[in-house]
Amino acid sequence: MNKHTPGPWVAMKDGKYVTENPWSVDHEDGHDNTTAPIGGPDGQVVALVVMDDEHSENRWDDTELDANARLIAAAPDLLAALKLTSDCLSKCLTGGEVSAALAGRALVAAGEAVTKATVA
């Protein structure tokens, strides 16, 4: 399995952990792209969410860009929660035992990851 930059990842704007005033890239033909960098644990950019303002239905609305940035920033958390949940389900389906504490951790991890991915 390939290694990815470890989490946590956060949606960043202008190098800060905020979502207002996204970066904008102007092109020679007059249109621009609005971007939201995704920062890794050391603040390095691990991904860049780009919305082409010319071809977006939400041309003047950053809601879609922010939602995409949150989803991508939550990827390491979602992966960890899915791995934990998968381990619990595998044990259950093969006759193994899963403690209530482990099942509870999986449920909490999944809920927290979904919240990170979806709540502004």
Side-chain angles (χ1 to χ4, degrees), residues 56-74:
S56 174
E57 292 179 19
N58 299 320
R59 185 172 181 164
W60 306 112
D61 181 3
D62 291 333
T63 304
E64 183 179 2
L65 176 76
D66 289 342
N68 291 342
R70 282 191 303 278
L71 179 60
I72 293 169

Side-chain angles (χ1 to χ4, degrees), residues 4-91:
H4 59 79
T5 302
W9 292 1
V10 293
M12 300 167 48
K13 300 267 178 98
D14 296 327
K16 298 184 173 81
Y17 303 106
V18 297
T19 57
E20 44 298 312
N21 301 319
W23 294 354
S24 182
V25 178
D26 295 321
H27 296 275
E28 290 179 10
D29 65 4
H31 84 280
D32 62 359
N33 290 341
T34 305
T35 63
I38 306 300
D42 296 328
Q44 78 277 22
V45 174
V46 297
L48 190 63
V49 180
V50 179
M51 184 165 62
D52 186 343
D53 294 340
E54 183 172 311
H55 299 100
S56 174
E57 292 179 19
N58 299 320
R59 185 172 181 164
W60 306 112
D61 181 3
D62 291 333
T63 304
E64 183 179 2
L65 176 76
D66 289 342
N68 291 342
R70 282 191 303 278
L71 179 60
I72 293 169
D77 303 89
L78 291 164
L79 179 60
L82 183 58
K83 284 180 177 180
L84 185 56
T85 302
S86 177
D87 289 346
C88 288
L89 285 173
S90 292
K91 287 179 183 176

Side-chain angles (χ1 to χ4, degrees), residues 93-109:
L93 294 174
T94 58
E97 291 186 22
V98 176
S99 69
L102 182 59
R105 281 198 309 272
L107 185 60
V108 168

